Amino acid sequence: MPSGSSAPRVRFAPSPTGYLHVGGARTALFNWLFARHAGGVMILRIEDTDAERNKPELVEGILDGLRWLGIDWDEGPFYQSQRLELYAQAAQKCLENGSAFLCYCPAERYVGGDHAEEGQETGNVRRISRCSCRDGNPSVPGTKPAVRFKVPLGGTTRFQDAVFGEREFANEDIEDFLLMRSSRGEETHGLPSYQLGAVVDDIDMRITHVIRGADHISNTPKQALLYRALGAELPLFAHLPLILGADRTRLSKRHGATSVTSYRDEGFLPEAFRNFLALLGWSAGGDQEFLRTSELLEKFTLAGVSRTNGVFDRPKLEWFNTQYLQKLPIEDLLPAVENELKRSKLWKEEWAAPAGHEWFSKTVDLLRPRIRLLPDFSSWSRAFFSDEFEYEQAARDKFWKKEPRLPQFIAQIADAMAALPDWNHDACEHALRAIAEAAGVKAGVLINATRVAIVGQAVAPPLFETFLALGRERVVRRLRAAIPAVEESCKA
RNA sequence: GGCGCUAUGGUGCAACGGUUAGCACGCGGCCCUUUCAAGGCUGAAAUACGGGUUCGAUUCCCGUUAGCGCUACCA
């Protein structure tokens, strides 16, 4: 035991009962930021002690979510299901030193009548039931017992919380919580409870800071009692405020997407999601909100964690995404776009070669200010990556009906572009404006109509930059190809 | 019901005894303009309520109310 080492050791301990949800991701992120900020150790532990609820295959989904967020770990993943002997030994130790007892109450009975009703009636005399097993009088002898912690009848239990301060609870308010479930069948012992598994592992893994959701505050005095019974020092706890849905109730399936991978699939950038998540329940103290990962790492402290539950505000997440889409170094964005285009089958290998890469990079750079989510590169920007695109009806109605001579103007523009001695931004613009002036129409009318003709949409990057991105040959071809459709719209 | 936590605009955060209560998202307006974004400027919008403590409370204490959490042989 390297007691001289001061490097913090933290852990993220999800249970594989579902995907990695937003709340879990935030907990993982804060643990990770804390560890990396302090040069500490991040441990991943899978709490799979409930054989019925856990599904091993879900672990991979959780790891996927963590990887997408860029959260890595130094030790693990450890599986509690493979460390059962450890918990049995700890339970035995508690039994031997008198801090636990064998409970023969049928599970249903302990939970139901004994606990709730009786506790209610006796009012302020004794609010928490203590079953007779704890005094050595099994209520239903002969059945396989569970192990419960024998909470002291008086006194208080306290612990330090880096976020909420010092907390103190009266022991009489703490029930004799479960340590070991009763064994079924032939096993020598049952499975450990969450409380036992978490504490035994946190001791064994020498966890110094327990950073987890605030829903565990009420569990903490129980765990503090357990640490003491096991002869271990308490770690410093840090409880994180909960993340709520827009209706201020706990985030759940009802609120739509709650798994981090669904945000990945929607096309959010991990950097943006991470920045957004970091600010849900934490701030660096000032007004700065746009924090790259390196800044997050540098500035993260538990002192900056807030105590109030926060609402997951999707519009703000989207804002962060657009910010990152625009500000990320282009080379960092390219792989994500490539991935997206492959997904939509628009990707061409030539863009990976040096010559094609330059075009690809410049085009993505041209497109990015107007993109909100990665899939927009495939849908909204389709005409830049494929010659197969359609004219949006709304765009035709908006820009192709203003001027009856439009078909001939489009043809003139096509000819002018084809004849240009130099193919560059200003030359294109001058040529187009000259046509507008000669015809006595506003340049904007031709510009907007031309945009629809070459990309099929009313919205696109500035026209002449779009010209350069598409290339002269395609621009001319698309302009000529659009003439019949323009005529049709003009007549309508 | 019991125990606990929390309480600044609609939302996320600042202000950690003294500010005209700040920033951002969202919403409205204006500017820019070649469409749409982006960007710039700008408007509306908050200290839950009641008592204390203090020269002075958003800030400290108590109560009320509200929300949330725990109260499982779930984690």
Side-chain angles (χ1 to χ4, degrees), chain A residues 115 128 169 173-175 177 194-195 213-223 239 242 250:
Chain A
H115 220 198
I128 297 295
F169 290 75
D173 290 329
I174 304 172
E175 72 271 17
F177 58 96
Y194 158 71
Q195 314 286 2
D215 48 342
H216 286 291
I217 290 179
S218 301
N219 286 324
T220 310
K222 299 174 189 171
Q223 298 179 6
H239 288 101
L242 268 18
R250 211 173 178 182

Tab-separated table of all heavy atoms in Angstrom, chain A residues 115 128 169 173-175 177 194-195 213-223 239 242 250, chain B residues 1-5 67-72 74-75:
chain	number	residue	atom	x	y	z
A	115	HIS	N	-41.051	-2.394	7.994
A	115	HIS	CA	-40.366	-1.134	7.755
A	115	HIS	C	-41.284	0.075	7.737
A	115	HIS	O	-41.306	0.872	8.660
A	115	HIS	CB	-39.682	-1.247	6.391
A	115	HIS	CG	-38.321	-0.624	6.407
A	115	HIS	ND1	-37.669	-0.268	5.276
A	115	HIS	CD2	-37.505	-0.313	7.413
A	115	HIS	CE1	-36.497	0.247	5.589
A	115	HIS	NE2	-36.373	0.225	6.884
A	128	ILE	N	-37.197	4.188	12.498
A	128	ILE	CA	-36.595	3.147	11.674
A	128	ILE	C	-36.716	1.817	12.415
A	128	ILE	O	-36.390	1.712	13.595
A	128	ILE	CB	-35.094	3.446	11.456
A	128	ILE	CG1	-34.936	4.760	10.689
A	128	ILE	CG2	-34.425	2.305	10.728
A	128	ILE	CD1	-35.469	4.738	9.280
A	169	PHE	N	-25.346	12.896	10.022
A	169	PHE	CA	-26.644	12.223	10.061
A	169	PHE	C	-26.797	11.493	11.384
A	169	PHE	O	-25.827	10.951	11.919
A	169	PHE	CB	-26.759	11.198	8.924
A	169	PHE	CG	-26.861	11.815	7.558
A	169	PHE	CD1	-25.740	12.368	6.934
A	169	PHE	CD2	-28.078	11.856	6.881
A	169	PHE	CE1	-25.830	12.941	5.677
A	169	PHE	CE2	-28.171	12.430	5.619
A	169	PHE	CZ	-27.045	12.978	5.008
A	173	ASP	N	-31.648	7.438	12.197
A	173	ASP	CA	-32.366	7.601	10.933
A	173	ASP	C	-31.852	6.673	9.837
A	173	ASP	O	-32.328	6.701	8.709
A	173	ASP	CB	-32.233	9.050	10.439
A	173	ASP	CG	-33.019	10.023	11.306
A	173	ASP	OD1	-34.057	9.606	11.849
A	173	ASP	OD2	-32.582	11.180	11.439
A	174	ILE	N	-30.837	5.898	10.179
A	174	ILE	CA	-30.259	5.004	9.175
A	174	ILE	C	-30.737	3.585	9.416
A	174	ILE	O	-30.586	3.060	10.523
A	174	ILE	CB	-28.715	5.039	9.255
A	174	ILE	CG1	-28.222	6.489	9.106
A	174	ILE	CG2	-28.110	4.151	8.174
A	174	ILE	CD1	-26.738	6.661	9.364
A	175	GLU	N	-31.313	2.970	8.413
A	175	GLU	CA	-31.824	1.611	8.604
A	175	GLU	C	-30.681	0.594	8.578
A	175	GLU	O	-29.576	0.896	8.118
A	175	GLU	CB	-32.871	1.262	7.542
A	175	GLU	CG	-32.321	1.032	6.149
A	175	GLU	CD	-32.253	2.310	5.326
A	175	GLU	OE1	-32.326	3.406	5.928
A	175	GLU	OE2	-32.105	2.196	4.095
A	177	PHE	N	-29.086	-1.461	6.817
A	177	PHE	CA	-28.998	-1.755	5.383
A	177	PHE	C	-28.349	-3.093	5.065
A	177	PHE	O	-27.571	-3.641	5.839
A	177	PHE	CB	-28.272	-0.615	4.667
A	177	PHE	CG	-26.884	-0.351	5.200
A	177	PHE	CD1	-25.772	-0.910	4.585
A	177	PHE	CD2	-26.701	0.472	6.302
A	177	PHE	CE1	-24.500	-0.663	5.069
A	177	PHE	CE2	-25.421	0.717	6.802
A	177	PHE	CZ	-24.322	0.146	6.184
A	194	TYR	N	-25.160	-3.159	-3.152
A	194	TYR	CA	-24.428	-2.044	-3.727
A	194	TYR	C	-23.510	-1.406	-2.685
A	194	TYR	O	-22.343	-1.105	-2.951
A	194	TYR	CB	-25.418	-0.994	-4.249
A	194	TYR	CG	-24.810	0.371	-4.371
A	194	TYR	CD1	-23.861	0.644	-5.364
A	194	TYR	CD2	-25.139	1.389	-3.479
A	194	TYR	CE1	-23.278	1.896	-5.463
A	194	TYR	CE2	-24.557	2.642	-3.574
A	194	TYR	CZ	-23.622	2.892	-4.557
A	194	TYR	OH	-23.043	4.121	-4.640
A	195	GLN	N	-24.063	-1.195	-1.477
A	195	GLN	CA	-23.289	-0.522	-0.439
A	195	GLN	C	-21.991	-1.265	-0.134
A	195	GLN	O	-20.919	-0.664	-0.054
A	195	GLN	CB	-24.104	-0.409	0.860
A	195	GLN	CG	-25.534	0.069	0.683
A	195	GLN	CD	-25.662	1.563	0.386
A	195	GLN	OE1	-24.662	2.260	0.274
A	195	GLN	NE2	-26.890	2.026	0.225
A	213	GLY	N	-23.131	11.062	-8.297
A	213	GLY	CA	-24.356	11.857	-8.284
A	213	GLY	C	-24.877	12.141	-6.885
A	213	GLY	O	-24.666	11.354	-5.949
A	214	ALA	N	-25.582	13.239	-6.742
A	214	ALA	CA	-26.119	13.648	-5.445
A	214	ALA	C	-27.183	12.685	-4.941
A	214	ALA	O	-27.567	12.732	-3.764
A	214	ALA	CB	-26.695	15.055	-5.540
A	215	ASP	N	-27.651	11.811	-5.807
A	215	ASP	CA	-28.644	10.844	-5.343
A	215	ASP	C	-27.997	9.865	-4.359
A	215	ASP	O	-28.685	9.059	-3.745
A	215	ASP	CB	-29.286	10.100	-6.515
A	215	ASP	CG	-28.267	9.564	-7.509
A	215	ASP	OD1	-27.118	10.034	-7.489
A	215	ASP	OD2	-28.628	8.680	-8.293
A	216	HIS	N	-26.695	9.962	-4.203
A	216	HIS	CA	-26.004	9.067	-3.266
A	216	HIS	C	-25.722	9.719	-1.921
A	216	HIS	O	-25.140	9.088	-1.040
A	216	HIS	CB	-24.690	8.577	-3.875
A	216	HIS	CG	-24.888	7.562	-4.955
A	216	HIS	ND1	-25.347	6.290	-4.705
A	216	HIS	CD2	-24.721	7.636	-6.299
A	216	HIS	CE1	-25.433	5.618	-5.846
A	216	HIS	NE2	-25.065	6.422	-6.830
A	217	ILE	N	-26.125	10.951	-1.756
A	217	ILE	CA	-25.850	11.609	-0.476
A	217	ILE	C	-26.437	10.810	0.682
A	217	ILE	O	-25.780	10.592	1.696
A	217	ILE	CB	-26.430	13.047	-0.469
A	217	ILE	CG1	-25.614	13.930	-1.426
A	217	ILE	CG2	-26.362	13.635	0.947
A	217	ILE	CD1	-26.127	15.357	-1.513
A	218	SER	N	-27.657	10.360	0.513
A	218	SER	CA	-28.298	9.607	1.592
A	218	SER	C	-27.645	8.253	1.848
A	218	SER	O	-27.827	7.657	2.898
A	218	SER	CB	-29.780	9.395	1.290
A	218	SER	OG	-30.428	10.638	1.148
A	219	ASN	N	-26.940	7.749	0.872
A	219	ASN	CA	-26.250	6.462	1.055
A	219	ASN	C	-24.936	6.640	1.795
A	219	ASN	O	-24.417	5.694	2.400
A	219	ASN	CB	-25.898	5.849	-0.306
A	219	ASN	CG	-27.114	5.291	-1.009
A	219	ASN	OD1	-28.011	4.756	-0.363
A	219	ASN	ND2	-27.150	5.421	-2.316
A	220	THR	N	-24.414	7.827	1.713
A	220	THR	CA	-23.069	8.052	2.227
A	220	THR	C	-22.881	7.769	3.717
A	220	THR	O	-21.879	7.155	4.085
A	220	THR	CB	-22.589	9.453	1.845
A	220	THR	OG1	-22.814	9.633	0.442
A	220	THR	CG2	-21.108	9.616	2.126
A	221	PRO	N	-23.815	8.171	4.576
A	221	PRO	CA	-23.606	7.824	5.989
A	221	PRO	C	-23.535	6.309	6.203
A	221	PRO	O	-22.766	5.836	7.045
A	221	PRO	CB	-24.799	8.458	6.701
A	221	PRO	CG	-25.763	8.818	5.636
A	221	PRO	CD	-24.959	9.060	4.405
A	222	LYS	N	-24.293	5.562	5.439
A	222	LYS	CA	-24.234	4.102	5.549
A	222	LYS	C	-22.831	3.630	5.180
A	222	LYS	O	-22.230	2.799	5.853
A	222	LYS	CB	-25.233	3.435	4.592
A	222	LYS	CG	-26.675	3.796	4.834
A	222	LYS	CD	-27.553	3.202	3.734
A	222	LYS	CE	-28.977	3.744	3.834
A	222	LYS	NZ	-29.785	3.355	2.674
A	223	GLN	N	-22.344	4.187	4.099
A	223	GLN	CA	-21.027	3.771	3.634
A	223	GLN	C	-19.930	4.211	4.599
A	223	GLN	O	-18.955	3.494	4.805
A	223	GLN	CB	-20.787	4.302	2.226
A	223	GLN	CG	-21.810	3.708	1.253
A	223	GLN	CD	-21.657	4.211	-0.163
A	223	GLN	OE1	-20.717	4.938	-0.481
A	223	GLN	NE2	-22.587	3.825	-1.021
A	239	HIS	N	-20.360	15.123	-4.147
A	239	HIS	CA	-21.617	14.786	-4.812
A	239	HIS	C	-22.000	15.836	-5.835
A	239	HIS	O	-21.924	17.041	-5.574
A	239	HIS	CB	-22.707	14.560	-3.759
A	239	HIS	CG	-22.507	13.271	-3.008
A	239	HIS	ND1	-21.962	13.211	-1.740
A	239	HIS	CD2	-22.720	12.006	-3.397
A	239	HIS	CE1	-21.856	11.932	-1.384
A	239	HIS	NE2	-22.306	11.181	-2.360
A	242	LEU	N	-27.900	16.782	-9.670
A	242	LEU	CA	-28.516	15.945	-10.695
A	242	LEU	C	-28.833	16.728	-11.971
A	242	LEU	O	-28.984	17.944	-11.955
A	242	LEU	CB	-29.817	15.365	-10.142
A	242	LEU	CG	-29.772	14.002	-9.446
A	242	LEU	CD1	-28.374	13.600	-9.007
A	242	LEU	CD2	-30.715	13.985	-8.251
A	250	ARG	N	-36.364	14.245	-13.165
A	250	ARG	CA	-35.141	13.537	-13.484
A	250	ARG	C	-35.125	13.113	-14.956
A	250	ARG	O	-36.126	12.636	-15.484
A	250	ARG	CB	-35.050	12.303	-12.588
A	250	ARG	CG	-33.646	11.930	-12.266
A	250	ARG	CD	-33.647	10.826	-11.249
A	250	ARG	NE	-32.296	10.414	-10.967
A	250	ARG	CZ	-32.002	9.440	-10.132
A	250	ARG	NH1	-32.965	8.803	-9.508
A	250	ARG	NH2	-30.760	9.112	-9.916
B	1	G	P	-46.548	14.104	3.769
B	1	G	OP1	-46.337	15.368	4.457
B	1	G	OP2	-45.947	13.803	2.489
B	1	G	O5'	-46.162	12.915	4.785
B	1	G	C5'	-46.865	12.797	6.020
B	1	G	C4'	-46.215	11.699	6.816
B	1	G	O4'	-46.224	10.460	6.038
B	1	G	C3'	-44.736	11.908	7.128
B	1	G	O3'	-44.560	12.704	8.286
B	1	G	C2'	-44.238	10.489	7.342
B	1	G	O2'	-44.596	9.995	8.618
B	1	G	C1'	-45.031	9.723	6.273
B	1	G	N9	-44.309	9.632	5.012
B	1	G	C8	-44.658	10.214	3.825
B	1	G	N7	-43.804	9.958	2.866
B	1	G	C5	-42.830	9.164	3.467
B	1	G	C6	-41.652	8.582	2.928
B	1	G	O6	-41.228	8.654	1.766
B	1	G	N1	-40.952	7.868	3.873
B	1	G	C2	-41.338	7.727	5.172
B	1	G	N2	-40.529	6.995	5.949
B	1	G	N3	-42.428	8.258	5.691
B	1	G	C4	-43.129	8.957	4.783
B	2	G	P	-43.288	13.670	8.412
B	2	G	OP1	-43.391	14.412	9.689
B	2	G	OP2	-43.152	14.404	7.131
B	2	G	O5'	-42.078	12.646	8.505
B	2	G	C5'	-41.848	11.926	9.717
B	2	G	C4'	-40.592	11.111	9.582
B	2	G	O4'	-40.753	10.174	8.490
B	2	G	C3'	-39.354	11.905	9.190
B	2	G	O3'	-38.740	12.495	10.323
B	2	G	C2'	-38.475	10.833	8.557
B	2	G	O2'	-37.863	10.016	9.515
B	2	G	C1'	-39.527	10.012	7.798
B	2	G	N9	-39.724	10.466	6.422
B	2	G	C8	-40.761	11.211	5.929
B	2	G	N7	-40.665	11.440	4.641
B	2	G	C5	-39.488	10.813	4.263
B	2	G	C6	-38.864	10.718	3.004
B	2	G	O6	-39.232	11.175	1.918
B	2	G	N1	-37.678	9.995	3.069
B	2	G	C2	-37.167	9.428	4.204
B	2	G	N2	-36.009	8.767	4.090
B	2	G	N3	-37.736	9.506	5.397
B	2	G	C4	-38.892	10.204	5.357
B	3	C	P	-38.062	13.908	10.199
B	3	C	OP1	-37.664	14.339	11.556
B	3	C	OP2	-38.912	14.781	9.364
B	3	C	O5'	-36.746	13.555	9.386
B	3	C	C5'	-35.735	12.750	9.974
B	3	C	C4'	-34.697	12.382	8.943
B	3	C	O4'	-35.313	11.566	7.905
B	3	C	C3'	-34.109	13.542	8.155
B	3	C	O3'	-33.107	14.233	8.879
B	3	C	C2'	-33.544	12.818	6.952
B	3	C	O2'	-32.356	12.113	7.260
B	3	C	C1'	-34.658	11.813	6.664
B	3	C	N1	-35.631	12.382	5.713
B	3	C	C2	-35.331	12.321	4.345
B	3	C	O2	-34.288	11.768	3.985
B	3	C	N3	-36.180	12.867	3.452
B	3	C	C4	-37.302	13.459	3.876
B	3	C	N4	-38.111	13.990	2.962
B	3	C	C5	-37.643	13.534	5.260
B	3	C	C6	-36.781	12.988	6.140
B	4	G	P	-32.939	15.802	8.591
B	4	G	OP1	-32.013	16.305	9.635
B	4	G	OP2	-34.257	16.442	8.394
B	4	G	O5'	-32.198	15.808	7.190
B	4	G	C5'	-30.952	15.143	7.021
B	4	G	C4'	-30.620	15.041	5.555
B	4	G	O4'	-31.681	14.335	4.857
B	4	G	C3'	-30.526	16.351	4.791
B	4	G	O3'	-29.271	16.977	5.005
B	4	G	C2'	-30.662	15.868	3.358
B	4	G	O2'	-29.475	15.250	2.900
B	4	G	C1'	-31.735	14.786	3.516
B	4	G	N9	-33.088	15.309	3.242
B	4	G	C8	-34.096	15.563	4.136
B	4	G	N7	-35.185	16.008	3.560
B	4	G	C5	-34.878	16.045	2.204
B	4	G	C6	-35.658	16.432	1.097
B	4	G	O6	-36.822	16.837	1.067
B	4	G	N1	-34.946	16.321	-0.099
B	4	G	C2	-33.646	15.884	-0.201
B	4	G	N2	-33.129	15.850	-1.421
B	4	G	N3	-32.910	15.509	0.828
B	4	G	C4	-33.582	15.612	1.989
B	5	C	P	-29.152	18.557	4.809
B	5	C	OP1	-27.803	18.929	5.296
B	5	C	OP2	-30.352	19.223	5.353
B	5	C	O5'	-29.180	18.712	3.226
B	5	C	C5'	-28.128	18.173	2.431
B	5	C	C4'	-28.440	18.380	0.977
B	5	C	O4'	-29.643	17.656	0.624
B	5	C	C3'	-28.769	19.807	0.585
B	5	C	O3'	-27.601	20.594	0.403
B	5	C	C2'	-29.508	19.594	-0.727
B	5	C	O2'	-28.624	19.248	-1.770
B	5	C	C1'	-30.348	18.370	-0.380
B	5	C	N1	-31.676	18.738	0.141
B	5	C	C2	-32.660	19.115	-0.785
B	5	C	O2	-32.379	19.130	-1.989
B	5	C	N3	-33.898	19.437	-0.331
B	5	C	C4	-34.155	19.411	0.978
B	5	C	N4	-35.386	19.735	1.373
B	5	C	C5	-33.157	19.051	1.937
B	5	C	C6	-31.947	18.724	1.474
B	67	G	P	-43.853	20.780	-5.580
B	67	G	OP1	-44.797	20.382	-6.649
B	67	G	OP2	-43.930	20.143	-4.242
B	67	G	O5'	-42.371	20.615	-6.125
B	67	G	C5'	-42.028	21.111	-7.416
B	67	G	C4'	-40.545	20.969	-7.645
B	67	G	O4'	-39.835	21.777	-6.665
B	67	G	C3'	-39.989	19.571	-7.417
B	67	G	O3'	-40.184	18.737	-8.541
B	67	G	C2'	-38.516	19.871	-7.174
B	67	G	O2'	-37.844	20.165	-8.378
B	67	G	C1'	-38.613	21.141	-6.329
B	67	G	N9	-38.620	20.844	-4.902
B	67	G	C8	-39.703	20.757	-4.061
B	67	G	N7	-39.377	20.471	-2.827
B	67	G	C5	-37.991	20.359	-2.854
B	67	G	C6	-37.069	20.061	-1.817
B	67	G	O6	-37.301	19.835	-0.630
B	67	G	N1	-35.763	20.037	-2.276
B	67	G	C2	-35.389	20.275	-3.582
B	67	G	N2	-34.084	20.203	-3.839
B	67	G	N3	-36.231	20.560	-4.564
B	67	G	C4	-37.507	20.586	-4.131
B	68	C	P	-40.373	17.155	-8.311
B	68	C	OP1	-40.729	16.571	-9.622
B	68	C	OP2	-41.224	16.921	-7.134
B	68	C	O5'	-38.890	16.706	-7.943
B	68	C	C5'	-37.846	16.830	-8.894
B	68	C	C4'	-36.512	16.630	-8.216
B	68	C	O4'	-36.357	17.625	-7.155
B	68	C	C3'	-36.312	15.312	-7.489
B	68	C	O3'	-35.969	14.256	-8.371
B	68	C	C2'	-35.163	15.664	-6.561
B	68	C	O2'	-33.937	15.740	-7.253
B	68	C	C1'	-35.566	17.065	-6.110
B	68	C	N1	-36.361	17.028	-4.884
B	68	C	C2	-35.686	16.859	-3.662
B	68	C	O2	-34.457	16.767	-3.676
B	68	C	N3	-36.403	16.792	-2.515
B	68	C	C4	-37.728	16.891	-2.548
B	68	C	N4	-38.387	16.818	-1.398
B	68	C	C5	-38.450	17.065	-3.771
B	68	C	C6	-37.726	17.126	-4.905
B	69	G	P	-36.377	12.746	-7.938
B	69	G	OP1	-36.157	11.919	-9.134
B	69	G	OP2	-37.674	12.720	-7.239
B	69	G	O5'	-35.251	12.401	-6.869
B	69	G	C5'	-33.880	12.434	-7.235
B	69	G	C4'	-33.022	12.232	-6.012
B	69	G	O4'	-33.279	13.304	-5.069
B	69	G	C3'	-33.314	10.972	-5.215
B	69	G	O3'	-32.660	9.861	-5.782
B	69	G	C2'	-32.738	11.340	-3.855
B	69	G	O2'	-31.330	11.267	-3.860
B	69	G	C1'	-33.146	12.804	-3.744
B	69	G	N9	-34.416	13.003	-3.049
B	69	G	C8	-35.625	13.355	-3.589
B	69	G	N7	-36.564	13.503	-2.691
B	69	G	C5	-35.939	13.216	-1.487
B	69	G	C6	-36.451	13.215	-0.151
B	69	G	O6	-37.589	13.477	0.229
B	69	G	N1	-35.466	12.862	0.769
B	69	G	C2	-34.160	12.553	0.453
B	69	G	N2	-33.369	12.239	1.477
B	69	G	N3	-33.672	12.560	-0.778
B	69	G	C4	-34.615	12.905	-1.689
B	70	C	P	-33.363	8.425	-5.636
B	70	C	OP1	-32.547	7.509	-6.471
B	70	C	OP2	-34.816	8.537	-5.847
B	70	C	O5'	-33.115	8.067	-4.105
B	70	C	C5'	-31.789	7.809	-3.638
B	70	C	C4'	-31.826	7.630	-2.149
B	70	C	O4'	-32.284	8.868	-1.532
B	70	C	C3'	-32.824	6.599	-1.633
B	70	C	O3'	-32.323	5.280	-1.715
B	70	C	C2'	-32.974	7.050	-0.190
B	70	C	O2'	-31.856	6.690	0.591
B	70	C	C1'	-33.006	8.562	-0.344
B	70	C	N1	-34.382	9.073	-0.489
B	70	C	C2	-35.129	9.222	0.678
B	70	C	O2	-34.623	8.914	1.773
B	70	C	N3	-36.397	9.691	0.593
B	70	C	C4	-36.911	9.999	-0.594
B	70	C	N4	-38.162	10.461	-0.631
B	70	C	C5	-36.169	9.846	-1.810
B	70	C	C6	-34.911	9.376	-1.706
B	71	U	P	-33.378	4.072	-1.787
B	71	U	OP1	-32.579	2.843	-1.739
B	71	U	OP2	-34.333	4.302	-2.902
B	71	U	O5'	-34.199	4.210	-0.430
B	71	U	C5'	-33.593	3.885	0.824
B	71	U	C4'	-34.592	4.137	1.913
B	71	U	O4'	-35.016	5.519	1.853
B	71	U	C3'	-35.900	3.368	1.786
B	71	U	O3'	-35.778	2.045	2.274
B	71	U	C2'	-36.815	4.199	2.671
B	71	U	O2'	-36.622	3.947	4.036
B	71	U	C1'	-36.337	5.616	2.347
B	71	U	N1	-37.193	6.222	1.323
B	71	U	C2	-38.336	6.859	1.759
B	71	U	O2	-38.620	6.961	2.943
B	71	U	N3	-39.141	7.367	0.776
B	71	U	C4	-38.919	7.305	-0.577
B	71	U	O4	-39.749	7.801	-1.343
B	71	U	C5	-37.702	6.630	-0.959
B	71	U	C6	-36.905	6.124	-0.011
B	72	A	P	-36.768	0.911	1.834
B	72	A	OP1	-37.543	1.356	0.675
B	72	A	OP2	-37.458	0.341	3.000
B	72	A	O5'	-35.640	-0.142	1.439
B	72	A	C5'	-35.329	-0.309	0.122
B	72	A	C4'	-35.437	-1.761	-0.246
B	72	A	O4'	-36.133	-1.818	-1.480
B	72	A	C3'	-34.018	-2.320	-0.410
B	72	A	O3'	-33.698	-3.479	0.316
B	72	A	C2'	-33.829	-2.257	-1.957
B	72	A	O2'	-33.148	-3.356	-2.445
B	72	A	C1'	-35.242	-2.145	-2.523
B	72	A	N9	-35.301	-1.085	-3.534
B	72	A	C8	-35.311	0.276	-3.393
B	72	A	N7	-35.372	0.927	-4.523
B	72	A	C5	-35.414	-0.087	-5.472
B	72	A	C6	-35.483	-0.040	-6.875
B	72	A	N6	-35.534	1.071	-7.575
B	72	A	N1	-35.498	-1.228	-7.515
B	72	A	C2	-35.452	-2.363	-6.808
B	72	A	N3	-35.388	-2.519	-5.480
B	72	A	C4	-35.379	-1.323	-4.880
B	74	C	P	-32.201	-6.865	-4.953
B	74	C	OP1	-33.093	-7.853	-5.497
B	74	C	OP2	-30.751	-7.161	-4.848
B	74	C	O5'	-32.388	-5.515	-5.783
B	74	C	C5'	-31.534	-4.411	-5.523
B	74	C	C4'	-31.282	-3.761	-6.856
B	74	C	O4'	-32.218	-2.676	-7.007
B	74	C	C3'	-29.919	-3.115	-7.008
B	74	C	O3'	-28.958	-4.076	-7.390
B	74	C	C2'	-30.209	-2.114	-8.105
B	74	C	O2'	-30.219	-2.747	-9.365
B	74	C	C1'	-31.623	-1.643	-7.741
B	74	C	N1	-31.640	-0.419	-6.912
B	74	C	C2	-31.703	0.818	-7.575
B	74	C	O2	-31.733	0.831	-8.812
B	74	C	N3	-31.728	1.963	-6.850
B	74	C	C4	-31.684	1.894	-5.519
B	74	C	N4	-31.717	3.044	-4.851
B	74	C	C5	-31.620	0.660	-4.818
B	74	C	C6	-31.594	-0.468	-5.550
B	75	A	P	-27.496	-4.015	-6.904
B	75	A	OP1	-26.826	-5.187	-7.483
B	75	A	OP2	-27.511	-3.811	-5.441
B	75	A	O5'	-26.910	-2.684	-7.540
B	75	A	C5'	-26.550	-2.596	-8.903
B	75	A	C4'	-26.396	-1.127	-9.249
B	75	A	O4'	-27.598	-0.432	-8.827
B	75	A	C3'	-25.285	-0.413	-8.490
B	75	A	O3'	-24.027	-0.562	-9.128
B	75	A	C2'	-25.769	1.032	-8.515
B	75	A	O2'	-25.544	1.632	-9.762
B	75	A	C1'	-27.273	0.847	-8.311
B	75	A	N9	-27.647	0.909	-6.892
B	75	A	C8	-27.693	-0.112	-5.986
B	75	A	N7	-28.059	0.270	-4.779
B	75	A	C5	-28.265	1.632	-4.906
B	75	A	C6	-28.662	2.624	-3.982
B	75	A	N6	-28.927	2.368	-2.696
B	75	A	N1	-28.770	3.890	-4.434
B	75	A	C2	-28.495	4.136	-5.715
B	75	A	N3	-28.116	3.287	-6.676
B	75	A	C4	-28.019	2.044	-6.197
